Amino acid sequence: MTRLFVVVPLPPEVAARLSAFDRPALPGVRWSVPDQWLVKLRPLGHVDGRVVRPLRDTLEAELAGAPAVACRLGPATRRLGGQWLGAPVHGLDELAAVVFEATQELVPVTHPQPFQADVVLARGRVPRELAGRPVAGSWTARSVALVADRSSPRAVRFEELASFPLEDPDRPDQPRPGPPARRNAH
């Protein structure tokens, strides 16, 4: 069983901006490192390896022709359940809904809804004072990835199992489709 998630990668210019974010040493708070910064569209949890191929195939079919998405980071950090500090990411709701709907038959949803996209900046006993700190950035998400968490206590290691391109709205030679169609439940 491997911990999997569906993500939108964070571009280097946004990661550089987050790297400049003040990270005071606080008891019980572990600050995330750039290798951990991604935007989860759907955490899948621990998944049997036999489900990886069907997940890849389903995501490939559902995301084919999906448009690139404008993303906006901020405007301020927020506490997530008292255990995480996140930088909210706006603009991914429709894409996340498609991913959730497409994958729920393969991996049932077991975590709280509705979906909220964040870049996790810290974990642990996150004090209230860290919420509300300004954070900003924007980018266009041009791909979605299926990622396995193969981290150990000594090192962060995410492995990209598959990548799904999103159509670039800035290229006039490409058709500009609407959001991907959602599958009908039968």
Side-chain angles (χ1 to χ4, degrees), residues 15-153:
R17 187 171 281 197
L18 288 175
S19 292
F21 194 76
D22 182 37
R23 302 165 200 242
L26 297 168
V29 174
R30 292 178 320 280
W31 291 97
S32 301
V33 297
D35 287 346
Q36 294 172 298
W37 294 338
L38 40 77
V39 183
K40 291 180 188 174
L41 291 177
R42 166 127 201 248
L44 296 162
H46 289 85
V47 176
D48 187 304
R50 293 172 292 189
V51 179
V52 172
R53 179 83 184 180
L55 274 170
R56 240 189 339 232
D57 294 345
T58 296
L59 289 166
E60 183 175 36
E62 290 297 324
L63 296 173
V69 179
C71 300
R72 185 176 48 82
L73 185 69
T77 57
R78 61 184 174 190
R79 285 178 76 223
L80 306 165
Q83 300 175 359
W84 299 281
L85 179 69
V89 178
H90 304 277
L92 293 167
D93 293 348
E94 279 187 43
L95 185 59
V98 169
V99 168
F100 268 89
E101 190 169 326
T103 58
Q104 69 185 353
E105 288 180 29
L106 293 167
V107 181
V109 177
T110 59
H111 49 281
Q113 295 297 311
F115 163 79
Q116 294 181 350
D118 284 271
V119 176
V120 175
L121 301 175
R123 294 167 173 77
R125 292 189 319 251
V126 175
R128 285 176 171 53
E129 301 80 52
L130 291 179
R133 295 169 69 196
V135 60
S138 63
W139 74 97
T140 300
R142 291 186 166 81
S143 67
V144 170
L146 177 63
V147 173
D149 185 349
R150 303 199 190 284
S151 300
S152 72

